[in-house]
Amino acid sequence: MEEGYKQYSQRNAEKTKSNTTHQPSPRNNIEDKYAQGEGAFTGDLTTLDRKALLQQRYADSPCFVQLRGRKSDAEIVAAEKKKRTVEEQVMIDHLCRAVISDPEQNLSTEKQESAFILLDSNIAPLRLRKRTLHETKIRTHSTLTENMLSHKVQFDGRIISRNGRDACRELVGFFFIHDQSLTIYEYRQFGKNRTNVLPFIQKNIYSHQRGRRKGKQYQLGDFYIGANLTFLSCDHPTLPESIKESILLILRITNIDQIAFDSFRNDSVEHEDATTSQEANDGLVFKAIQDELKKQLHKKGVRILTGLGKYFQQLDKKGNGLLNKSDFKQALKVFHLQVSEKDFESLWLILNDSGNGKVDYGEFIRAIIGEMNEYRKSFVRKAFMKLDFNKTGSVPIMDIRKCYCAKKHPEVISGRSTEEEIKLSFLETLKGACSKSDEVSYGEFEDYYEGLSVGVEDDEDFVSILRTPWGV
């Protein structure tokens, strides 16, 4: 009996030692999950890859050509209405309200009062009472004229964020030529007819807050589709709390009044400097890496891009989106994305412009793989905004299941598959991008279509992939 007890104790000690020695760290658990679970990221296409590629077949739908013409007319009318509404609000704010609330109104009127009002008069000074209409000047020294405000370039923008509520805000900006200032308004629509336009960034002269042009004032040449505008969140106390959590507010220009831009560009003189050539060199570094990785992503874009998003999200324990150099190197290794050491170091020097050793993982993914153009991304946002009618930034899987329509999928039309089969294949691949089993965030929805976009050359083909099942 004593000998049996010794053998039991020895086995128990060996088992405890083995557990202590080989206990994996949380980071290793994450790496093992993505290296072994959900299939390997090398080799042939997996079942999930094939199911994701089924979505690209919507581009072959015969119904799309008719739908495209009908939708584009409606979009043009809606865009014109939005443009007029915002322009009117800007004029009201800067031609009327700005004059009435100008502090100069009180100063000038008090000087006039002091000249003819007796000391024993019962009329109180203006600063102690409300100013009446006949005491208000129609113009002050700082007043802008309609002519000044008409010399402007209008542009549309979006916030670069994985937060759905912020990413889907409709922003309209104006760059004024006479003083090189800019302002940005948020356009909100409630139902079909009710709209609201509110200042988002107050009119002022601003400068770049990051990158090669940090500290330089914004000029006309800085405004083009795809350009980023950066602002310090602390300088704008009226911004939503979710935006103020980040030090920088980054806006992407999605559309611009090209006619107005060209007319003012011909009159302005902006000289190219050393910064312009440095930015061109940075672009060459990005393009070399992106061209190489797109070959490796061929037909596997959805699985790898959504996998990268989930991987980085799990590493980001603080929730601020920032990771260090070793995290990114390990991610490339786990997902078998081959980037040379020289290219990686060049990339890191560009992205880590603050020198703090941390980079936003969304920015890193966009740098190494690229991103769909703003035309494509506008339809991704439209589809998500249609699903997220409560504007919470995430959509329950059940709502996606209800809204997704596979009737016009070529496989359904030909009779080779049923609507339910196409819908289930879509939901299965989409769930692979989600950190939660019952809902999809905007960032995850965008990652899915970002991966799908890699294999689609034509913009209109990609638009049909979104328009046909979502009806946007």
PDB file of all heavy atoms in Angstrom, residues 231-256:
ATOM      1  N   PHE A 231      -6.964  67.110 -36.903  1.00  0.00           N
ATOM      2  CA  PHE A 231      -7.259  68.146 -35.920  1.00  0.00           C
ATOM      3  C   PHE A 231      -6.998  67.591 -34.524  1.00  0.00           C
ATOM      4  O   PHE A 231      -7.174  66.387 -34.284  1.00  0.00           O
ATOM      5  CB  PHE A 231      -8.725  68.588 -36.008  1.00  0.00           C
ATOM      6  CG  PHE A 231      -9.154  69.061 -37.367  1.00  0.00           C
ATOM      7  CD1 PHE A 231      -9.646  68.162 -38.304  1.00  0.00           C
ATOM      8  CD2 PHE A 231      -9.061  70.391 -37.720  1.00  0.00           C
ATOM      9  CE1 PHE A 231     -10.046  68.585 -39.555  1.00  0.00           C
ATOM     10  CE2 PHE A 231      -9.448  70.833 -38.971  1.00  0.00           C
ATOM     11  CZ  PHE A 231      -9.943  69.934 -39.899  1.00  0.00           C
ATOM     12  N   LEU A 232      -6.590  68.451 -33.597  1.00  0.00           N
ATOM     13  CA  LEU A 232      -6.432  68.057 -32.196  1.00  0.00           C
ATOM     14  C   LEU A 232      -7.806  68.048 -31.537  1.00  0.00           C
ATOM     15  O   LEU A 232      -8.526  69.054 -31.551  1.00  0.00           O
ATOM     16  CB  LEU A 232      -5.504  69.018 -31.467  1.00  0.00           C
ATOM     17  CG  LEU A 232      -4.016  68.957 -31.855  1.00  0.00           C
ATOM     18  CD1 LEU A 232      -3.242  70.062 -31.138  1.00  0.00           C
ATOM     19  CD2 LEU A 232      -3.419  67.596 -31.509  1.00  0.00           C
ATOM     20  N   SER A 233      -8.189  66.918 -30.959  1.00  0.00           N
ATOM     21  CA  SER A 233      -9.514  66.800 -30.346  1.00  0.00           C
ATOM     22  C   SER A 233      -9.708  67.799 -29.214  1.00  0.00           C
ATOM     23  O   SER A 233     -10.810  68.315 -29.012  1.00  0.00           O
ATOM     24  CB  SER A 233      -9.720  65.370 -29.828  1.00  0.00           C
ATOM     25  OG  SER A 233      -9.593  64.441 -30.872  1.00  0.00           O
ATOM     26  N   CYS A 234      -8.626  68.094 -28.478  1.00  0.00           N
ATOM     27  CA  CYS A 234      -8.732  68.996 -27.328  1.00  0.00           C
ATOM     28  C   CYS A 234      -9.062  70.431 -27.741  1.00  0.00           C
ATOM     29  O   CYS A 234      -9.521  71.235 -26.921  1.00  0.00           O
ATOM     30  CB  CYS A 234      -7.454  68.966 -26.508  1.00  0.00           C
ATOM     31  SG  CYS A 234      -5.976  69.453 -27.433  1.00  0.00           S
ATOM     32  N   ASP A 235      -8.824  70.781 -29.012  1.00  0.00           N
ATOM     33  CA  ASP A 235      -9.128  72.140 -29.490  1.00  0.00           C
ATOM     34  C   ASP A 235     -10.604  72.321 -29.825  1.00  0.00           C
ATOM     35  O   ASP A 235     -11.034  73.437 -30.149  1.00  0.00           O
ATOM     36  CB  ASP A 235      -8.302  72.457 -30.747  1.00  0.00           C
ATOM     37  CG  ASP A 235      -6.816  72.600 -30.437  1.00  0.00           C
ATOM     38  OD1 ASP A 235      -6.476  72.780 -29.248  1.00  0.00           O
ATOM     39  OD2 ASP A 235      -5.996  72.510 -31.373  1.00  0.00           O
ATOM     40  N   HIS A 236     -11.372  71.240 -29.747  1.00  0.00           N
ATOM     41  CA  HIS A 236     -12.786  71.298 -30.138  1.00  0.00           C
ATOM     42  C   HIS A 236     -13.641  70.646 -29.044  1.00  0.00           C
ATOM     43  O   HIS A 236     -14.010  69.471 -29.151  1.00  0.00           O
ATOM     44  CB  HIS A 236     -12.983  70.597 -31.483  1.00  0.00           C
ATOM     45  CG  HIS A 236     -12.091  71.112 -32.564  1.00  0.00           C
ATOM     46  ND1 HIS A 236     -12.366  72.248 -33.292  1.00  0.00           N
ATOM     47  CD2 HIS A 236     -10.878  70.682 -33.013  1.00  0.00           C
ATOM     48  CE1 HIS A 236     -11.395  72.477 -34.147  1.00  0.00           C
ATOM     49  NE2 HIS A 236     -10.481  71.535 -34.006  1.00  0.00           N
ATOM     50  N   PRO A 237     -13.951  71.381 -27.994  1.00  0.00           N
ATOM     51  CA  PRO A 237     -14.671  70.811 -26.841  1.00  0.00           C
ATOM     52  C   PRO A 237     -16.078  70.335 -27.154  1.00  0.00           C
ATOM     53  O   PRO A 237     -16.653  69.564 -26.382  1.00  0.00           O
ATOM     54  CB  PRO A 237     -14.700  71.972 -25.831  1.00  0.00           C
ATOM     55  CG  PRO A 237     -14.476  73.209 -26.644  1.00  0.00           C
ATOM     56  CD  PRO A 237     -13.615  72.800 -27.797  1.00  0.00           C
ATOM     57  N   THR A 238     -16.671  70.782 -28.258  1.00  0.00           N
ATOM     58  CA  THR A 238     -18.049  70.374 -28.581  1.00  0.00           C
ATOM     59  C   THR A 238     -18.125  69.042 -29.322  1.00  0.00           C
ATOM     60  O   THR A 238     -19.232  68.573 -29.619  1.00  0.00           O
ATOM     61  CB  THR A 238     -18.734  71.463 -29.441  1.00  0.00           C
ATOM     62  OG1 THR A 238     -17.969  71.667 -30.641  1.00  0.00           O
ATOM     63  CG2 THR A 238     -18.837  72.779 -28.673  1.00  0.00           C
ATOM     64  N   LEU A 239     -16.991  68.432 -29.620  1.00  0.00           N
ATOM     65  CA  LEU A 239     -17.002  67.140 -30.320  1.00  0.00           C
ATOM     66  C   LEU A 239     -17.630  66.071 -29.430  1.00  0.00           C
ATOM     67  O   LEU A 239     -17.571  66.150 -28.200  1.00  0.00           O
ATOM     68  CB  LEU A 239     -15.579  66.721 -30.687  1.00  0.00           C
ATOM     69  CG  LEU A 239     -14.880  67.508 -31.794  1.00  0.00           C
ATOM     70  CD1 LEU A 239     -13.435  67.039 -31.926  1.00  0.00           C
ATOM     71  CD2 LEU A 239     -15.598  67.358 -33.126  1.00  0.00           C
ATOM     72  N   PRO A 240     -18.226  65.035 -30.028  1.00  0.00           N
ATOM     73  CA  PRO A 240     -18.771  63.922 -29.234  1.00  0.00           C
ATOM     74  C   PRO A 240     -17.685  63.260 -28.384  1.00  0.00           C
ATOM     75  O   PRO A 240     -16.514  63.237 -28.760  1.00  0.00           O
ATOM     76  CB  PRO A 240     -19.302  62.949 -30.303  1.00  0.00           C
ATOM     77  CG  PRO A 240     -19.535  63.800 -31.506  1.00  0.00           C
ATOM     78  CD  PRO A 240     -18.500  64.876 -31.470  1.00  0.00           C
ATOM     79  N   GLU A 241     -18.080  62.704 -27.248  1.00  0.00           N
ATOM     80  CA  GLU A 241     -17.126  62.105 -26.312  1.00  0.00           C
ATOM     81  C   GLU A 241     -16.350  60.947 -26.948  1.00  0.00           C
ATOM     82  O   GLU A 241     -15.179  60.742 -26.658  1.00  0.00           O
ATOM     83  CB  GLU A 241     -17.858  61.612 -25.060  1.00  0.00           C
ATOM     84  CG  GLU A 241     -18.417  62.723 -24.198  1.00  0.00           C
ATOM     85  CD  GLU A 241     -17.325  63.653 -23.665  1.00  0.00           C
ATOM     86  OE1 GLU A 241     -16.227  63.158 -23.342  1.00  0.00           O
ATOM     87  OE2 GLU A 241     -17.582  64.865 -23.578  1.00  0.00           O
ATOM     88  N   SER A 242     -17.011  60.183 -27.810  1.00  0.00           N
ATOM     89  CA  SER A 242     -16.331  59.040 -28.438  1.00  0.00           C
ATOM     90  C   SER A 242     -15.169  59.492 -29.308  1.00  0.00           C
ATOM     91  O   SER A 242     -14.172  58.780 -29.453  1.00  0.00           O
ATOM     92  CB  SER A 242     -17.325  58.240 -29.291  1.00  0.00           C
ATOM     93  OG  SER A 242     -17.931  59.082 -30.275  1.00  0.00           O
ATOM     94  N   ILE A 243     -15.264  60.698 -29.880  1.00  0.00           N
ATOM     95  CA  ILE A 243     -14.183  61.222 -30.720  1.00  0.00           C
ATOM     96  C   ILE A 243     -13.082  61.817 -29.861  1.00  0.00           C
ATOM     97  O   ILE A 243     -11.900  61.679 -30.163  1.00  0.00           O
ATOM     98  CB  ILE A 243     -14.742  62.271 -31.707  1.00  0.00           C
ATOM     99  CG1 ILE A 243     -15.711  61.599 -32.684  1.00  0.00           C
ATOM    100  CG2 ILE A 243     -13.619  62.964 -32.475  1.00  0.00           C
ATOM    101  CD1 ILE A 243     -16.387  62.562 -33.637  1.00  0.00           C
ATOM    102  N   LYS A 244     -13.468  62.464 -28.757  1.00  0.00           N
ATOM    103  CA  LYS A 244     -12.480  63.099 -27.890  1.00  0.00           C
ATOM    104  C   LYS A 244     -11.604  62.097 -27.137  1.00  0.00           C
ATOM    105  O   LYS A 244     -10.613  62.481 -26.534  1.00  0.00           O
ATOM    106  CB  LYS A 244     -13.176  64.038 -26.902  1.00  0.00           C
ATOM    107  CG  LYS A 244     -13.718  65.303 -27.566  1.00  0.00           C
ATOM    108  CD  LYS A 244     -14.101  66.365 -26.561  1.00  0.00           C
ATOM    109  CE  LYS A 244     -15.376  66.021 -25.837  1.00  0.00           C
ATOM    110  NZ  LYS A 244     -15.837  67.119 -24.966  1.00  0.00           N
ATOM    111  N   GLU A 245     -11.971  60.812 -27.183  1.00  0.00           N
ATOM    112  CA  GLU A 245     -11.135  59.784 -26.554  1.00  0.00           C
ATOM    113  C   GLU A 245      -9.782  59.659 -27.255  1.00  0.00           C
ATOM    114  O   GLU A 245      -8.797  59.248 -26.662  1.00  0.00           O
ATOM    115  CB  GLU A 245     -11.856  58.434 -26.574  1.00  0.00           C
ATOM    116  CG  GLU A 245     -13.047  58.370 -25.623  1.00  0.00           C
ATOM    117  CD  GLU A 245     -13.825  57.076 -25.757  1.00  0.00           C
ATOM    118  OE1 GLU A 245     -13.403  56.224 -26.588  1.00  0.00           O
ATOM    119  OE2 GLU A 245     -14.819  56.893 -25.044  1.00  0.00           O
ATOM    120  N   SER A 246      -9.747  60.005 -28.535  1.00  0.00           N
ATOM    121  CA  SER A 246      -8.497  59.969 -29.302  1.00  0.00           C
ATOM    122  C   SER A 246      -7.867  61.356 -29.317  1.00  0.00           C
ATOM    123  O   SER A 246      -8.573  62.364 -29.306  1.00  0.00           O
ATOM    124  CB  SER A 246      -8.755  59.514 -30.739  1.00  0.00           C
ATOM    125  OG  SER A 246      -9.353  58.239 -30.765  1.00  0.00           O
ATOM    126  N   ILE A 247      -6.550  61.396 -29.352  1.00  0.00           N
ATOM    127  CA  ILE A 247      -5.845  62.675 -29.376  1.00  0.00           C
ATOM    128  C   ILE A 247      -6.107  63.401 -30.678  1.00  0.00           C
ATOM    129  O   ILE A 247      -6.337  64.607 -30.707  1.00  0.00           O
ATOM    130  CB  ILE A 247      -4.325  62.455 -29.174  1.00  0.00           C
ATOM    131  CG1 ILE A 247      -4.062  61.853 -27.803  1.00  0.00           C
ATOM    132  CG2 ILE A 247      -3.565  63.769 -29.331  1.00  0.00           C
ATOM    133  CD1 ILE A 247      -2.617  61.453 -27.573  1.00  0.00           C
ATOM    134  N   LEU A 248      -6.101  62.636 -31.776  1.00  0.00           N
ATOM    135  CA  LEU A 248      -6.287  63.228 -33.104  1.00  0.00           C
ATOM    136  C   LEU A 248      -7.630  62.850 -33.695  1.00  0.00           C
ATOM    137  O   LEU A 248      -8.090  61.700 -33.575  1.00  0.00           O
ATOM    138  CB  LEU A 248      -5.183  62.769 -34.059  1.00  0.00           C
ATOM    139  CG  LEU A 248      -3.813  63.442 -33.978  1.00  0.00           C
ATOM    140  CD1 LEU A 248      -2.906  62.855 -35.039  1.00  0.00           C
ATOM    141  CD2 LEU A 248      -3.915  64.948 -34.148  1.00  0.00           C
ATOM    142  N   LEU A 249      -8.259  63.815 -34.340  1.00  0.00           N
ATOM    143  CA  LEU A 249      -9.430  63.570 -35.169  1.00  0.00           C
ATOM    144  C   LEU A 249      -8.951  63.574 -36.619  1.00  0.00           C
ATOM    145  O   LEU A 249      -8.383  64.567 -37.085  1.00  0.00           O
ATOM    146  CB  LEU A 249     -10.473  64.657 -34.938  1.00  0.00           C
ATOM    147  CG  LEU A 249     -11.604  64.754 -35.973  1.00  0.00           C
ATOM    148  CD1 LEU A 249     -12.446  63.480 -35.953  1.00  0.00           C
ATOM    149  CD2 LEU A 249     -12.481  65.970 -35.702  1.00  0.00           C
ATOM    150  N   ILE A 250      -9.140  62.456 -37.313  1.00  0.00           N
ATOM    151  CA  ILE A 250      -8.691  62.335 -38.699  1.00  0.00           C
ATOM    152  C   ILE A 250      -9.902  62.251 -39.609  1.00  0.00           C
ATOM    153  O   ILE A 250     -10.743  61.355 -39.472  1.00  0.00           O
ATOM    154  CB  ILE A 250      -7.794  61.095 -38.903  1.00  0.00           C
ATOM    155  CG1 ILE A 250      -6.624  61.113 -37.914  1.00  0.00           C
ATOM    156  CG2 ILE A 250      -7.278  61.037 -40.328  1.00  0.00           C
ATOM    157  CD1 ILE A 250      -5.749  59.889 -37.979  1.00  0.00           C
ATOM    158  N   LEU A 251     -10.003  63.206 -40.543  1.00  0.00           N
ATOM    159  CA  LEU A 251     -11.092  63.239 -41.508  1.00  0.00           C
ATOM    160  C   LEU A 251     -10.555  62.900 -42.895  1.00  0.00           C
ATOM    161  O   LEU A 251      -9.503  63.387 -43.290  1.00  0.00           O
ATOM    162  CB  LEU A 251     -11.748  64.621 -41.556  1.00  0.00           C
ATOM    163  CG  LEU A 251     -12.338  65.168 -40.252  1.00  0.00           C
ATOM    164  CD1 LEU A 251     -12.981  66.523 -40.500  1.00  0.00           C
ATOM    165  CD2 LEU A 251     -13.365  64.225 -39.678  1.00  0.00           C
ATOM    166  N   ARG A 252     -11.282  62.086 -43.618  1.00  0.00           N
ATOM    167  CA  ARG A 252     -10.921  61.730 -44.988  1.00  0.00           C
ATOM    168  C   ARG A 252     -11.865  62.437 -45.966  1.00  0.00           C
ATOM    169  O   ARG A 252     -13.085  62.370 -45.806  1.00  0.00           O
ATOM    170  CB  ARG A 252     -11.029  60.205 -45.160  1.00  0.00           C
ATOM    171  CG  ARG A 252     -10.888  59.679 -46.582  1.00  0.00           C
ATOM    172  CD  ARG A 252      -9.490  59.783 -47.109  1.00  0.00           C
ATOM    173  NE  ARG A 252      -8.526  59.107 -46.279  1.00  0.00           N
ATOM    174  CZ  ARG A 252      -8.291  57.772 -46.288  1.00  0.00           C
ATOM    175  NH1 ARG A 252      -8.976  56.990 -47.103  1.00  0.00           N
ATOM    176  NH2 ARG A 252      -7.375  57.242 -45.501  1.00  0.00           N
ATOM    177  N   ILE A 253     -11.310  63.120 -46.956  1.00  0.00           N
ATOM    178  CA  ILE A 253     -12.123  63.777 -47.980  1.00  0.00           C
ATOM    179  C   ILE A 253     -12.623  62.724 -48.962  1.00  0.00           C
ATOM    180  O   ILE A 253     -11.830  62.012 -49.579  1.00  0.00           O
ATOM    181  CB  ILE A 253     -11.320  64.870 -48.712  1.00  0.00           C
ATOM    182  CG1 ILE A 253     -10.926  65.987 -47.732  1.00  0.00           C
ATOM    183  CG2 ILE A 253     -12.117  65.448 -49.867  1.00  0.00           C
ATOM    184  CD1 ILE A 253     -10.067  67.075 -48.336  1.00  0.00           C
ATOM    185  N   THR A 254     -13.945  62.615 -49.079  1.00  0.00           N
ATOM    186  CA  THR A 254     -14.547  61.585 -49.928  1.00  0.00           C
ATOM    187  C   THR A 254     -15.044  62.119 -51.262  1.00  0.00           C
ATOM    188  O   THR A 254     -15.227  61.368 -52.215  1.00  0.00           O
ATOM    189  CB  THR A 254     -15.723  60.918 -49.191  1.00  0.00           C
ATOM    190  OG1 THR A 254     -16.699  61.926 -48.872  1.00  0.00           O
ATOM    191  CG2 THR A 254     -15.253  60.259 -47.902  1.00  0.00           C
ATOM    192  N   ASN A 255     -15.277  63.431 -51.330  1.00  0.00           N
ATOM    193  CA  ASN A 255     -15.750  64.039 -52.575  1.00  0.00           C
ATOM    194  C   ASN A 255     -15.427  65.527 -52.529  1.00  0.00           C
ATOM    195  O   ASN A 255     -15.282  66.086 -51.438  1.00  0.00           O
ATOM    196  CB  ASN A 255     -17.258  63.827 -52.744  1.00  0.00           C
ATOM    197  CG  ASN A 255     -17.709  64.078 -54.161  1.00  0.00           C
ATOM    198  OD1 ASN A 255     -16.894  64.149 -55.092  1.00  0.00           O
ATOM    199  ND2 ASN A 255     -19.010  64.232 -54.360  1.00  0.00           N
ATOM    200  N   ILE A 256     -15.305  66.166 -53.678  1.00  0.00           N
ATOM    201  CA  ILE A 256     -14.938  67.584 -53.706  1.00  0.00           C
ATOM    202  C   ILE A 256     -15.570  68.256 -54.924  1.00  0.00           C
ATOM    203  O   ILE A 256     -15.812  67.598 -55.951  1.00  0.00           O
ATOM    204  CB  ILE A 256     -13.396  67.746 -53.728  1.00  0.00           C
ATOM    205  CG1 ILE A 256     -12.990  69.183 -53.383  1.00  0.00           C
ATOM    206  CG2 ILE A 256     -12.811  67.320 -55.056  1.00  0.00           C
ATOM    207  CD1 ILE A 256     -11.516  69.340 -53.051  1.00  0.00           C
TER     208      ILE A 256
END
